[in-house]
Amino acid sequence: MIFGDCKLVNYRKDPTVFEIGYLLKREFWRKGLGTKICESLLAMAKSIDANKDVIGIIDPDNAASRQLLTKFGFQSYFVGIEDEVATEKLILKRT
């Protein structure tokens, strides 16, 4: 069964920072899976490089994604248009 997708990559605009991302099918929203995915991705990022900052990029209208990332200590640092798409970036500072 496919629930969605997730990633942990070097951020394409700054490889000194990790980027996490996840996308869940609608039928799996509000079941705690986003929290488990975020926990796993952050643990993996920490095991690779505990000092490397982590960003998450969301749709600014997606309050659930913002709430999830802020629960893990992420702070918003950019809201605007990037590549012609409404974007909000949040960062978890590790250093």
Side-chain angles (χ1 to χ4, degrees), residues 31-68:
K31 298 184 184 305
L33 294 173
T35 296
K36 291 183 184 309
I37 291 167
C38 200
E39 285 173 342
S40 295
L41 291 173
L42 290 174
M44 190 180 307
K46 187 174 183 178
S47 73
I48 295 168
D49 187 340
N51 296 314
K52 199 168 182 176
D53 295 342
V54 183
I55 68 163
I57 302 172
I58 64 169
D59 177 334
D61 292 332
N62 190 330
S65 286
R66 183 180 312 101
Q67 182 179 2
L68 178 61

Side-chain angles (χ1 to χ4, degrees), residues 3 6-7 9 12 20 23 29 32 38-39 43-45 47 51 53 63 81 84 94:
F3 298 95
C6 65
K7 69 178 181 178
V9 296
R12 66 181 171 90
I20 63 167
L23 181 64
W29 291 3
C38 200
E39 285 173 342
M44 190 180 307
S47 73
N51 296 314
D53 295 342
I81 303 297
E84 301 180 26
R94 298 279 185 122

Side-chain angles (χ1 to χ4, degrees), residues 5 7 32 45 63 76 90 92:
D5 198 10
K7 69 178 181 178
S76 180
L90 297 94
L92 176 63

